[in-house]
Amino acid sequence: MHPLFLRTRVHLRDAGKWLGETAVGGLTIALLRTTRYFDPIKTANLFGRIARLIGPLLPEQRIGRANLTAAFPEKTPQEIETILAGVWDNLGRVGAEFAHIDHIWDYDPAHPEKSRIEIAPRTHELFARLKNDGKPALVFASHLGNWEFPALAGPAHGVDSAVLYRRPNSAAADRIINEMRRVNMGELIPAGREAPFRLAEALERGKHVGMLVDQYWTGGVEVTFFGRKTRANPTLARLRRHVECPIHGARIIRLPGNRFRAELSEEVQPVRDAAGEIDIQGTMQAITSVVEDWIREYPDQWLWLHRRWR
């Protein structure tokens, strides 16, 4: 094949990819901006219904069904389908709620009964400890309930935070999403080669560093999740080896009536090897086990639609 033809084909492929990402980015921006004009609760209800209708038609439905069947062999096909419907409903609601992410955290300590966010007394105590102990901290979350909300909880309680996030492919979508997130999510650190160094620096400055830990990570450490081997991102455990600080888990569970419950786990103790050093694999297994317990409690609120096991 002529080199000129090869170069042309590469250029066309790259141009097609750029156009596709630009179109998706433009659609994302338009959808976010339009959704912000409507009532967040009504929009979440609508998006949840739409996702329930469209989701089963997508290839991810098969991935979710296979994942759930392997994770819960004791459940009937009807129970699996009911959980899947809840997964799609939750995903649709997360999308709608993200459009209001810069003002959706609704908790009034003077009138908690009127707030959309419910916070247990023990979680209040743990937040106060994190805020006042003079230490940095590592906080992990998962794609459970509304997984954007844990990043709102720290700043809302006066906790100095830094959050690891994954950039969208579209630069335009990345800009608008960042504009919405940075209002009340603390310092935002994009995933990439520099991320571990920036996260370590944030810890050294006394910040509370948060990240999602429940996706498959190529080249990660092996852990067992729902009885099957998979790989987890070791960054959090490596940071703990670098900086002495507590580890907690955070989750925001969806409740009836468009309400949420914010929960902070007790401190997760890192696993150490015979020499007393932080065991990376063992610590990530301890964290993964916490996440599994969360999901077993609310299986319809976790994102079963990605390939967690490969």
Side-chain angles (χ1 to χ4, degrees):
M1 188 175 294
H2 195 280
L4 178 60
F5 178 80
L6 286 174
R7 287 197 300 272
T8 302
R9 188 169 69 174
V10 169
H11 290 323
L12 288 172
R13 182 193 64 197
D14 292 344
K17 181 180 178 181
W18 179 84
L19 286 171
E21 291 176 354
T22 301
V24 170
L27 181 61
T28 300
I29 292 170
L31 186 60
L32 286 172
R33 287 178 171 166
T34 301
T35 303
R36 287 171 67 82
Y37 286 104
F38 297 94
D39 179 82
I41 292 178
K42 292 180 180 179
T43 307
N45 291 338
L46 174 63
F47 279 33
R49 289 195 297 270
I50 292 173
R52 278 176 176 263
L53 289 172
I54 296 177
L57 306 177
L58 301 177
E60 286 76 11
Q61 176 81 351
R62 293 192 297 274
I63 296 173
R65 184 183 293 117
N67 286 340
L68 279 162
T69 302
F72 297 104
E74 74 281 4
K75 292 191 181 297
T76 65
Q78 292 76 17
E79 289 173 321
I80 296 296
E81 295 305 313
T82 298
I83 292 172
L84 267 175
V87 171
W88 286 113
D89 183 83
N90 184 66
L91 181 59
R93 290 174 182 276
V94 170
E97 289 155 359
F98 185 82
H100 302 272
I101 200 72
D102 55 343
H103 59 266
I104 201 168
W105 184 268
D106 173 24
Y107 177 75
D108 182 357
H111 300 283
E113 73 284 354
K114 298 179 181 179
S115 305
R116 286 189 72 193
I117 309 294
E118 172 186 301
I119 303 177
R122 180 55 179 162
T123 293
H124 273 300
E125 294 172 4
L126 291 169
F127 268 124
R129 181 193 299 173
L130 286 175
K131 181 180 178 180
N132 300 319
D133 64 5
K135 301 177 183 178
L138 286 160
V139 181
F140 63 88
S142 67
H143 289 82
L144 182 73
N146 190 312
W147 52 85
E148 295 283 346
F149 279 18
L152 303 176
H157 283 74
V159 175
D160 195 10
S161 303
V163 178
L164 179 69
Y165 79 101
R166 179 177 294 178
R167 281 193 177 111
N169 290 333
S170 164
D174 184 35
R175 282 195 300 273
I176 188 172
I177 288 172
N178 263 346
E179 288 172 6
M180 296 168 65
R181 277 176 166 157
R182 70 166 56 99
V183 171
N184 49 9
M185 282 192 176
E187 181 181 354
L188 297 174
I189 298 176
R193 290 185 178 182
E194 298 298 317
F197 303 103
R198 293 186 60 186
L199 293 169
E201 290 173 356
L203 286 171
E204 291 168 352
R205 287 184 274 121
K207 286 184 177 286
H208 299 72
V209 169
M211 65 186 72
L212 292 160
V213 296
D214 60 336
Q215 291 187 308
Y216 184 89
W217 193 264
T218 302
V221 295
E222 188 174 80
V223 294
T224 300
F225 187 57
F226 282 89
R228 290 191 287 169
K229 299 295 184 182
T230 185
R231 293 194 174 274
N233 184 346
T235 298
L236 189 145
R238 287 175 177 166
L239 289 169
R240 178 59 183 83
R241 178 182 279 182
H242 181 72
V243 178
E244 182 76 22
C245 65
I247 301 172
H248 291 271
R251 66 175 183 174
I252 308 293
I253 296 302
R254 196 175 296 281
L255 301 175
N258 286 286
R259 299 184 73 250
F260 302 90
R261 183 171 65 249
E263 296 178 346
L264 199 61
S265 78
E266 297 296 330
E267 184 175 348
V268 177
Q269 296 299 327
V271 176
R272 297 182 183 273
D273 59 23
E277 292 289 327
I278 300 296
D279 182 293
I280 302 298
Q281 188 277 334
T283 298
M284 290 313 303
Q285 180 62 67
I287 290 168
T288 299
S289 296
V290 171
V291 172
E292 180 178 330
D293 288 343
W294 287 349
I295 298 167
R296 286 187 180 277
E297 193 174 357
Y298 298 97
D300 59 333
Q301 295 192 35
W302 191 62
L303 194 63
W304 292 94
L305 309 174
H306 66 287
R307 295 177 60 216
R308 183 66 178 95
W309 299 269
R310 302 183 189 183

